Amino acid sequence: MILNSCPATLNNLSGNEKFKFSLPKQKMKKLITGATGLVGSHLLVDLIKKGETVKALKRGKSNLAGINYLLESNSINKNISDPLIEWVEGDVLDLPSLESAIEGVDEVYHCAAMVSFHPEKSKRLLKTNIEGTK
């Protein structure tokens, strides 16, 4: 472990001073699956408000207009191109894209899901919500 900050050095120590070390507080990088959805987008805004660095998983066809509006309307002066957000393209059913997205991540918030009341979408819904969570 590297000590980045040291308020006292050997040059300025007198006989009765204690040598103090302080470590920088390390931020953990987070990944949000479903970052463009209802739950994921609100979590993204909350983490950005706290100054957290976030990887946000989105599908290639995702429309970011809604999340951009949410970021801009929450009095935090942020938008989808903010440096705290790293957008990564992927899908919870595509293991290689998830392996790539999870690189360098300390925490994962799994918010991806499919919601539908159409019977013809039931197989896709079950596959996404069950297999995409495994």
Side-chain angles (χ1 to χ4, degrees):
M1 184 178 291
I2 297 173
L3 301 173
N4 289 343
S5 176
C6 179
T9 65
L10 290 176
N11 295 335
N12 66 5
L13 281 178
S14 64
N16 58 3
E17 287 181 318
K18 291 184 179 180
F19 198 71
K20 295 181 181 181
F21 289 98
S22 61
L23 295 174
K25 192 173 182 181
Q26 296 224 346
K27 289 201 175 201
M28 298 175 73
K29 192 166 205 173
K30 293 145 176 55
L31 170 69
I32 302 174
T33 66
T36 60
L38 178 66
V39 175
S41 62
H42 283 84
L43 175 60
L44 176 67
V45 168
D46 189 49
L47 292 172
I48 296 301
K49 279 182 181 178
K50 294 176 182 177
E52 301 286 347
T53 303
V54 177
K55 269 189 173 182
L57 186 71
K58 69 177 192 71
R59 288 175 291 158
K61 60 184 179 182
S62 294
N63 182 344
L64 300 180
I67 184 95
N68 200 46
Y69 175 77
L70 191 60
L71 284 164
E72 290 175 346
S73 64
N74 268 279
S75 306
I76 57 173
N77 268 345
K78 305 288 182 187
N79 61 43
I80 57 172
S81 58
D82 191 274
L84 290 175
I85 307 168
E86 179 186 345
W87 291 99
V88 291
E89 216 169 279
D91 191 297
V92 293
L93 296 174
D94 177 26
L95 191 56
S97 73
L98 288 178
E99 288 172 343
S100 175
I102 207 164
E103 255 181 62
V105 168
D106 302 299
E107 293 179 5
V108 176
Y109 294 91
H110 178 50
C111 302
M114 181 180 176
V115 178
S116 178
F117 296 103
H118 297 287
E120 67 273 4
K121 293 185 179 181
S122 64
K123 283 185 182 178
R124 186 169 156 232
L125 181 138
L126 291 172
K127 183 174 179 147
T128 299
N129 295 342
I130 295 171
E131 290 181 30
T133 304
K134 287 183 180 179

